């Protein structure tokens, strides 16, 4: 059984643009070397938004990324994305945007138009996933992963939705550049579940709601990330109350990580190049999303 090594939680909340009240759980400046290839996690909400009848759609205006992927998982509400490489889409509860920034793009991330009008509960997770050095300057790519694409596997007391990798032979739809497991799990109070993780992969569990006990007696509370040892292949979790969590596992890249703001590369020289390229318009430009005041 894998042992829990430590817990990580947010040191405070901040707004990302005017649409996403986020807690940053980890970044490329703290945990990224221990849990490669994952670079950053923002947990937005849960929060209530009032109906918005103005033409201003809440969210984050045009900004660049290079060198990694952004993965947005919506639990409640609706998110729309549009980027300078031609990618874009709207996702609702259960759905995922897997955006490969790679060589660079600019994008907007906003509330979806229907959610903006209706208001209501908003909850999402955004992960940044590192790219192997040899793919950092690939062309950008956008994958919109809808509910019907994501296999939902019934387990005793819950379900496992396979976003990336495979669970018990059920393959997730996300195309990735290195081996990654990303599973969206629910488990009822009193139930224990085990998960097989490939030997040598990093392994973390992020609890959105509920309470989890680990095989070695540890506790994961809401909005905490449990970081497990990479040795062993069986992760066992017991739900003390109805629990909703993400399991993240991946083969470590073992390459230098140099991040600055929206860029994550392998050297400072590459970061300087990224700023140069962005400032010279080489990451593209875009028209704003319909209805937003950008
Ligand atoms: Mn972004």
């Amino acid at each position: 059984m894998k042992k829990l090594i430590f817990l990580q939680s947010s040191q405070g909340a901040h707004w990302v643009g005017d649409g996403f009240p986020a807690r940053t759980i980890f970044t490329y400046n703290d945990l990224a070397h221990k849990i490669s290839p994952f670079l950053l996690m923002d947990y937005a909400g849960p929060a209530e938004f009032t109906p918005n009848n103005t033409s201003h759609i809440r969210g984050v205006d045009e900004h660049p990324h290079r060198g990694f992927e952004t993965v947005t998982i919506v639990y409640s509400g609706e998110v729309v994305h549009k980027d300078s490489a031609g990618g874009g889409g709207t996702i609702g509860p259960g759905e995922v945007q897997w955006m490969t920034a790679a060589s660079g793009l600019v994008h907007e991330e906003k509330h979806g138009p229907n959610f903006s009008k209706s208001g209501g509960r908003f909850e999402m997770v955004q992960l940044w996933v590192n790219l192997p050095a040899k793919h950092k300057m690939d062309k950008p790519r956008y994958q919109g992963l809808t509910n019907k694409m994501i296999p939902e596997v019934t387990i005793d007391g819950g379900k496992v939705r396979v976003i990336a990798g495979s669970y018990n032979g059920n393959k997730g739809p996300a195309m990735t550049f290195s081996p990654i497991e990303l599973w969206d799990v629910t488990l009822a109070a009193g139930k224990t579940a085990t998960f097989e993780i490939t030997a040598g992969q990093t392994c973390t569990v992020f609890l959105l709601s509920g309470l989890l006990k680990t095989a070695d007696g540890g506790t994961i509370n809401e909005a905490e990330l449990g970081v497990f040892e990479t040795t062993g292949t069986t992760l066992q979790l017991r739900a003390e109350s109805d629990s909703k969590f993400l399991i993240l596992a991946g083969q470590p890249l073992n390459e230098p990580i140099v991040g600055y703001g929206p860029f994550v590369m392998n050297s400072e020289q590459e970061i300087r190049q990224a700023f140069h390229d962005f400032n010279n318009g080489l990451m593209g430009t875009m028209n704003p999303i319909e209805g937003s005041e950008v």
Side-chain angles (χ1 to χ4, degrees):
M1 294 293 176
K2 284 181 173 292
K3 288 190 179 126
L4 178 67
I5 313 172
F6 63 93
L7 294 164
Q8 170 98 354
S9 58
S10 168
Q11 302 306 303
H14 62 278
W15 281 86
V16 178
D18 65 0
F20 309 110
R23 286 175 273 180
T24 297
I25 308 300
F26 64 88
T27 76
Y28 49 74
N29 289 322
D30 47 38
L31 286 195
H33 279 287
K34 294 188 177 113
I35 61 174
S36 173
F38 302 100
L39 290 171
L40 177 146
M41 178 188 279
D42 270 349
Y43 178 35
E48 289 291 328
F49 283 89
T50 54
N52 174 6
N53 296 311
T54 74
S55 64
H56 172 80
I57 306 277
R58 285 170 168 263
V60 198
D61 294 337
E62 186 175 327
H63 61 279
H65 293 296
R66 172 181 280 181
F68 59 94
E69 303 180 289
T70 64
V71 177
T72 305
I73 306 162
V74 173
Y75 287 89
S76 297
E78 188 185 45
V79 172
V80 58
H81 157 96
K82 185 178 177 188
D83 69 55
S84 59
T90 303
I91 58 168
E95 299 182 318
V96 179
Q97 292 176 335
W98 198 293
M99 189 204 74
T100 308
S103 61
L105 45 64
V106 297
H107 75 159
E108 288 180 353
E109 300 161 274
K110 304 270 178 173
H111 289 183
N114 294 330
F115 175 74
S116 184
K117 281 196 197 79
S118 67
R121 183 187 165 94
F122 187 87
E123 185 178 27
M124 68 166 234
V125 168
Q126 185 169 86
L127 286 166
W128 291 11
V129 177
N130 208 357
L131 287 169
K134 67 176 181 206
H135 290 296
K136 279 184 180 286
M137 293 302 282
D138 282 8
K139 265 178 45 190
R141 179 169 79 187
Y142 177 82
Q143 303 173 70
L145 309 178
T146 58
N147 281 318
K148 66 172 187 286
M149 296 165 71
I150 299 173
E152 187 172 303
V153 184
T154 301
I155 59 173
D156 181 25
K159 62 184 190 322
V160 178
R161 299 177 70 251
V162 189
I163 298 167
S166 79
Y167 171 80
N168 276 2
N170 298 275
K171 248 178 89 58
M175 294 181 284
T176 65
F177 289 82
S178 63
I180 288 168
E181 314 293 335
L182 183 59
W183 303 333
D184 170 24
V185 186
T186 56
L187 190 61
K191 295 292 182 180
T192 298
T194 57
F195 304 90
E196 290 305 310
I197 307 291
T198 304
Q201 289 195 347
T202 62
C203 176
T204 64
V205 173
F206 180 67
L207 182 66
L208 290 98
S209 62
L211 183 64
L212 290 173
K213 284 280 185 202
T214 65
D216 55 331
T219 301
I220 305 175
N221 290 292
E222 283 182 0
E224 284 182 344
L225 181 84
V227 180
F228 290 80
E229 60 184 6
T230 56
T231 51
T233 58
T234 306
L235 171 68
Q236 181 182 294
L237 298 168
R238 178 184 156 82
E240 298 294 316
S241 60
D242 289 354
S243 294
K244 177 170 82 172
F245 54 96
L246 276 175
I247 296 177
L248 296 71
Q251 183 181 304
L253 299 179
N254 296 321
E255 291 173 343
I257 299 169
V258 181
Y260 194 96
F263 307 130
V264 184
M265 301 299 288
N266 304 109
S267 70
E268 290 188 8
Q269 159 55 26
E270 289 171 331
I271 293 293
R272 283 193 292 274
Q273 187 69 46
F275 276 98
H276 174 271
D277 291 351
F278 170 59
N279 289 329
N280 286 280
L282 300 179
M283 294 187 190
T285 54
M286 53 186 294
N287 297 315
I289 291 167
E290 197 76 17
S292 67
E293 293 172 351
V294 180

PDB file of all heavy atoms in Angstrom, residues 225-237:
ATOM      1  N   LEU A 225      -4.408  18.429  -0.794  1.00  0.00           N
ATOM      2  CA  LEU A 225      -3.776  17.508  -1.739  1.00  0.00           C
ATOM      3  C   LEU A 225      -2.902  16.550  -0.937  1.00  0.00           C
ATOM      4  O   LEU A 225      -1.986  16.983  -0.231  1.00  0.00           O
ATOM      5  CB  LEU A 225      -2.903  18.288  -2.724  1.00  0.00           C
ATOM      6  CG  LEU A 225      -2.187  17.451  -3.787  1.00  0.00           C
ATOM      7  CD1 LEU A 225      -3.117  17.195  -4.977  1.00  0.00           C
ATOM      8  CD2 LEU A 225      -0.917  18.136  -4.266  1.00  0.00           C
ATOM      9  N   GLY A 226      -3.189  15.264  -1.038  1.00  0.00           N
ATOM     10  CA  GLY A 226      -2.348  14.251  -0.396  1.00  0.00           C
ATOM     11  C   GLY A 226      -1.301  13.782  -1.384  1.00  0.00           C
ATOM     12  O   GLY A 226      -1.632  13.388  -2.501  1.00  0.00           O
ATOM     13  N   VAL A 227      -0.026  13.871  -0.973  1.00  0.00           N
ATOM     14  CA  VAL A 227       1.075  13.436  -1.843  1.00  0.00           C
ATOM     15  C   VAL A 227       1.563  12.084  -1.336  1.00  0.00           C
ATOM     16  O   VAL A 227       1.974  11.963  -0.174  1.00  0.00           O
ATOM     17  CB  VAL A 227       2.217  14.465  -1.848  1.00  0.00           C
ATOM     18  CG1 VAL A 227       3.362  14.005  -2.756  1.00  0.00           C
ATOM     19  CG2 VAL A 227       1.687  15.827  -2.294  1.00  0.00           C
ATOM     20  N   PHE A 228       1.506  11.064  -2.201  1.00  0.00           N
ATOM     21  CA  PHE A 228       1.857   9.693  -1.830  1.00  0.00           C
ATOM     22  C   PHE A 228       3.244   9.343  -2.333  1.00  0.00           C
ATOM     23  O   PHE A 228       3.745   9.945  -3.284  1.00  0.00           O
ATOM     24  CB  PHE A 228       0.819   8.721  -2.397  1.00  0.00           C
ATOM     25  CG  PHE A 228      -0.520   8.822  -1.707  1.00  0.00           C
ATOM     26  CD1 PHE A 228      -1.418   9.837  -2.050  1.00  0.00           C
ATOM     27  CD2 PHE A 228      -0.869   7.945  -0.686  1.00  0.00           C
ATOM     28  CE1 PHE A 228      -2.642   9.953  -1.390  1.00  0.00           C
ATOM     29  CE2 PHE A 228      -2.084   8.057  -0.022  1.00  0.00           C
ATOM     30  CZ  PHE A 228      -2.974   9.064  -0.376  1.00  0.00           C
ATOM     31  N   GLU A 229       3.823   8.323  -1.692  1.00  0.00           N
ATOM     32  CA  GLU A 229       5.126   7.836  -2.148  1.00  0.00           C
ATOM     33  C   GLU A 229       4.983   7.223  -3.543  1.00  0.00           C
ATOM     34  O   GLU A 229       3.897   6.770  -3.915  1.00  0.00           O
ATOM     35  CB  GLU A 229       5.681   6.812  -1.152  1.00  0.00           C
ATOM     36  CG  GLU A 229       4.789   5.592  -0.975  1.00  0.00           C
ATOM     37  CD  GLU A 229       5.291   4.629   0.092  1.00  0.00           C
ATOM     38  OE1 GLU A 229       6.275   4.953   0.790  1.00  0.00           O
ATOM     39  OE2 GLU A 229       4.693   3.543   0.206  1.00  0.00           O
ATOM     40  N   THR A 230       6.093   7.226  -4.299  1.00  0.00           N
ATOM     41  CA  THR A 230       6.041   6.672  -5.658  1.00  0.00           C
ATOM     42  C   THR A 230       6.264   5.164  -5.645  1.00  0.00           C
ATOM     43  O   THR A 230       5.963   4.498  -6.629  1.00  0.00           O
ATOM     44  CB  THR A 230       7.089   7.326  -6.581  1.00  0.00           C
ATOM     45  OG1 THR A 230       8.378   7.170  -5.981  1.00  0.00           O
ATOM     46  CG2 THR A 230       6.812   8.801  -6.774  1.00  0.00           C
ATOM     47  N   THR A 231       6.780   4.635  -4.536  1.00  0.00           N
ATOM     48  CA  THR A 231       6.954   3.188  -4.453  1.00  0.00           C
ATOM     49  C   THR A 231       5.606   2.546  -4.131  1.00  0.00           C
ATOM     50  O   THR A 231       4.713   3.181  -3.576  1.00  0.00           O
ATOM     51  CB  THR A 231       7.988   2.808  -3.375  1.00  0.00           C
ATOM     52  OG1 THR A 231       7.628   3.474  -2.173  1.00  0.00           O
ATOM     53  CG2 THR A 231       9.378   3.237  -3.775  1.00  0.00           C
ATOM     54  N   GLY A 232       5.492   1.269  -4.466  1.00  0.00           N
ATOM     55  CA  GLY A 232       4.217   0.578  -4.280  1.00  0.00           C
ATOM     56  C   GLY A 232       3.304   0.894  -5.443  1.00  0.00           C
ATOM     57  O   GLY A 232       3.505   1.884  -6.164  1.00  0.00           O
ATOM     58  N   THR A 233       2.308   0.050  -5.657  1.00  0.00           N
ATOM     59  CA  THR A 233       1.412   0.253  -6.801  1.00  0.00           C
ATOM     60  C   THR A 233      -0.047   0.334  -6.387  1.00  0.00           C
ATOM     61  O   THR A 233      -0.895   0.591  -7.237  1.00  0.00           O
ATOM     62  CB  THR A 233       1.564  -0.898  -7.824  1.00  0.00           C
ATOM     63  OG1 THR A 233       1.289  -2.139  -7.165  1.00  0.00           O
ATOM     64  CG2 THR A 233       2.968  -0.929  -8.408  1.00  0.00           C
ATOM     65  N   THR A 234      -0.347   0.131  -5.108  1.00  0.00           N
ATOM     66  CA  THR A 234      -1.762   0.144  -4.706  1.00  0.00           C
ATOM     67  C   THR A 234      -2.057   1.329  -3.801  1.00  0.00           C
ATOM     68  O   THR A 234      -1.449   1.497  -2.742  1.00  0.00           O
ATOM     69  CB  THR A 234      -2.142  -1.161  -3.974  1.00  0.00           C
ATOM     70  OG1 THR A 234      -1.793  -2.268  -4.810  1.00  0.00           O
ATOM     71  CG2 THR A 234      -3.633  -1.199  -3.683  1.00  0.00           C
ATOM     72  N   LEU A 235      -2.991   2.137  -4.259  1.00  0.00           N
ATOM     73  CA  LEU A 235      -3.468   3.271  -3.476  1.00  0.00           C
ATOM     74  C   LEU A 235      -4.811   2.869  -2.879  1.00  0.00           C
ATOM     75  O   LEU A 235      -5.720   2.457  -3.604  1.00  0.00           O
ATOM     76  CB  LEU A 235      -3.648   4.475  -4.412  1.00  0.00           C
ATOM     77  CG  LEU A 235      -4.332   5.710  -3.827  1.00  0.00           C
ATOM     78  CD1 LEU A 235      -3.440   6.363  -2.772  1.00  0.00           C
ATOM     79  CD2 LEU A 235      -4.664   6.699  -4.948  1.00  0.00           C
ATOM     80  N   GLN A 236      -4.907   2.934  -1.541  1.00  0.00           N
ATOM     81  CA  GLN A 236      -6.180   2.581  -0.899  1.00  0.00           C
ATOM     82  C   GLN A 236      -6.739   3.790  -0.160  1.00  0.00           C
ATOM     83  O   GLN A 236      -6.023   4.442   0.610  1.00  0.00           O
ATOM     84  CB  GLN A 236      -5.973   1.434   0.081  1.00  0.00           C
ATOM     85  CG  GLN A 236      -7.274   0.998   0.754  1.00  0.00           C
ATOM     86  CD  GLN A 236      -7.049  -0.106   1.770  1.00  0.00           C
ATOM     87  OE1 GLN A 236      -6.668  -1.219   1.411  1.00  0.00           O
ATOM     88  NE2 GLN A 236      -7.255   0.211   3.037  1.00  0.00           N
ATOM     89  N   LEU A 237      -8.015   4.067  -0.390  1.00  0.00           N
ATOM     90  CA  LEU A 237      -8.661   5.219   0.246  1.00  0.00           C
ATOM     91  C   LEU A 237     -10.002   4.777   0.818  1.00  0.00           C
ATOM     92  O   LEU A 237     -10.754   4.041   0.173  1.00  0.00           O
ATOM     93  CB  LEU A 237      -8.897   6.331  -0.786  1.00  0.00           C
ATOM     94  CG  LEU A 237      -7.633   6.906  -1.440  1.00  0.00           C
ATOM     95  CD1 LEU A 237      -8.003   7.760  -2.640  1.00  0.00           C
ATOM     96  CD2 LEU A 237      -6.810   7.707  -0.428  1.00  0.00           C
TER      97      LEU A 237
END
